[in-house]
């Protein structure tokens, strides 16, 4: 494909995406086809002769789009949002076009420096502690996901807890990670990959009313481990848990971590984006205790997957834990000590120019546009929660500080599960579920930039109509 062919085909692809966004709301949110439908619609192998891009676009319409879960659909209320936006897609397109691999400063000076500056901007935007800035001892980096951020934090914590022996001796004794019973599954995965073993993570109990970690229970667990000669390595606290967006009490947890010298990682994968709004920053009280912190712009900040923003307070510790220097990567810039080589801040060697999509997003929306997006999600969730509390048949299952509402039918778990199945079967919306204190709850998470009051009201109408049928029949 020469540049002129690319120009023509590229315009056709951009047109196709714009048309998809304009019409996605008219489609069923989830695929109606059984497993295997995509494979059955594809030929046995690739064509001998090349084909025009139009042929691929036709197959996107015929084979792919009908079998998607449409995450950008205005009726998509499942899981947490995975926003994208026009500027994000365009930034990603430029990144793909440049094809830069920024493993070292030397292999991508602008890739590295733009990322460093943007992460400093983002730290300002979220009002994160000064010590995360690259201008001091800290700094930020883009990881592919919050899961990778937690893994990297765990490795840094092991390096610290073992006083550097982890690099040479591996897991030389028993180390422990702590999170609440509501902590994300990626914490257990990180501990497993890091070699902490089956009981590497202690799940600390939560307050039943708030679903937030109990500091006294954390202290007791650390004390018990110390008494058993197990080394407390890392506490992962959450701002906005996956089930119900509970906020762990960072000031109390941070003080305990400081007292015992344990690495505190704060996982704000979804709710970190809320801190762009000053009125929601209460959720970040105590973040100054954190050794590392991450949130996913790819969840609620209009930046397409993958983009996790991760900061450390002491970049030297992380680099020491992860750096490996083979001869073929040696270069004058690295040896000068004056540059950042982001390969030392992550698991893979190679890395894409992900800062571009973030740059496009920050510049297109500006701070005001980002705040408007978050505020709209919070207001729509509030609107929906008011409907729930106004109907005697329903109840809220947890507080809703951000844009997720957990609720259920008072009639019980079975009725609530049946209700979820019925509304999702309409194809107009997708909600998911969880269990809170053992009881079934539906989750409605607002986040698509296409979602308006009309879509939230439609979701409520579908729910009440299904409840009418269900509770009578
Ligand atoms: N942490 C929390 C609190 C989450 O809610 C999620 C995903 O929903 C994750 C981590 C994992 O995110 P990622 O897909 O970026 O690894």
């Amino acid at each position: 494909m020469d540049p002129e062919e690319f120009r023509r085909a590229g315009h056709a692809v951009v047109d196709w995406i714009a048309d998809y966004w304009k019409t996605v709301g008219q489609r069923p949110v989830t695929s109606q086809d059984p497993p295997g439908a995509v494979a059955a619609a594809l030929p046995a192998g690739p064509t001998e002769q090349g084909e025009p891009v139009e042929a691929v676009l036709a197959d996107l319409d015929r084979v792919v789009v009908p079998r998607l879960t449409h995450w950008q659909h205005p009726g998509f209320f499942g899981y947490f949002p995975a926003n994208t936006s026009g500027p994000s897609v365009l930034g990603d397109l430029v990144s793909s076009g440049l094809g830069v691999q920024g493993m070292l400063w030397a292999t991508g000076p602008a890739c590295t420096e733009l990322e460093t500056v943007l992460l400093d901007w983002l730290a300002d935007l979220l009002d994160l502690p000064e010590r995360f800035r690259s201008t001091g001892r800290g700094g930020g980096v883009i990881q592919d996901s919050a899961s990778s951020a937690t893994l990297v934090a765990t490795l840094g914590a092991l390096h610290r807890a073992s006083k550097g022996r982890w690099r040479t001796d591996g897991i030389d004794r028993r180390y422990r990670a702590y999170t609440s019973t509501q902590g994300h599954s990626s914490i257990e995965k990180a501990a497993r990959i890091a070699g902490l073993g089956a009981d590497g993570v202690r799940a600390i109990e939560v307050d039943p009313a708030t679903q937030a970690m109990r500091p006294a229970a954390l202290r007791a667990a650390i004390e018990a481990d110390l008494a058993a000669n197990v080394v407390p390595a890392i506490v992962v606290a959450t701002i906005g848990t996956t089930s119900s967006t509970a906020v762990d009490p960072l000031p109390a947890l941070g003080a305990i971590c400081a007292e015992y010298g344990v690495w505190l990682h704060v996982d704000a994968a979804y709710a970190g984006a809320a801190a762009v709004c000053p009125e929601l920053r209460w959720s970040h009280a105590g973040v100054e205790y954190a050794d590392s912190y991450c949130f996913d712009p790819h969840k609620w900040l209009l930046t397409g997957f993958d983009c996790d923003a991760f900061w450390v307070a002491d970049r030297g510790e992380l680099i020491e834990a992860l750096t490996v220097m083979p001869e073929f990567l040696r270069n004058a810039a690295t040896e000068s000590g004056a540059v950042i080589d982001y390969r030392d801040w992550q698991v893979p060697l190679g890395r894409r120019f992900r800062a571009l999509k973030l740059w496009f997003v920050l510049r297109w929306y500006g701070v005001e546009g980002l705040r408007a997006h978050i505020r709209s999600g919070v207001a729509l969730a509030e609107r929906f929660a008011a409907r729930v509390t106004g109907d005697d048949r329903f109840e809220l299952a947890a507080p809703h500080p951000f844009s997720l509402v957990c609720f259920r039918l008072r009639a019980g778990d079975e009725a609530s599960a049946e209700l979820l199945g019925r509304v999702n079967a309409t194809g107009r919306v997708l909600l998911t579920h969880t269990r809170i204190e053992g009881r079934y709850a539906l989750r409605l998470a607002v986040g698509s930039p296409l979602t308006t009051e009309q879509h939230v009201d439609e979701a409520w109408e579908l729910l009440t109509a299904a409840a009418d049928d269900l509770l009578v029949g």
Side-chain angles (χ1 to χ4, degrees), residues 17 21 84-94 302 304 357 360-361:
I17 296 173
W21 284 340
T84 191
S85 64
S88 172
V89 170
L90 296 176
D92 238 353
L93 185 60
V94 176
L302 297 163
K357 61 184 166 190
F360 271 59
V361 166

Side-chain angles (χ1 to χ4, degrees), residues 79-81 143-150 182-187 236-243 267-271 294-296 298-299 305-308 443:
Y79 310 101
F80 279 138
Q143 305 278 347
D144 58 0
S145 62
S147 304
S148 291
T150 299
Q182 303 302 302
H184 192 261
S185 54
S186 52
I187 300 160
V236 182
T238 311
I239 299 177
T241 57
T242 315
S243 255
D267 175 3
Y270 150 77
C294 80
F295 88 103
D296 284 345
H298 70 226
K299 283 193 164 57
F305 194 88
D306 51 356
C307 185
D308 170 85
R443 296 170 76 265

Side-chain angles (χ1 to χ4, degrees), residues 36-52:
V38 175
L42 290 171
T47 49
E48 279 303 318
Q49 306 295 322
E51 292 177 280

Side-chain angles (χ1 to χ4, degrees), residues 116 120 129-140 160 263 290-291 311-320 340 345:
T116 306
D120 281 346
E130 200 53 43
R131 65 202 200 113
F132 286 146
R133 305 293 190 288
S134 68
T135 42
R137 288 158 60 91
R160 181 196 284 179
W263 184 297
D291 293 287
W311 287 267
V312 279
D314 182 351
R315 61 178 180 271
E317 239 178 339
L318 185 68
I319 293 168
E320 214 178 273
I340 286 179
W345 299 49

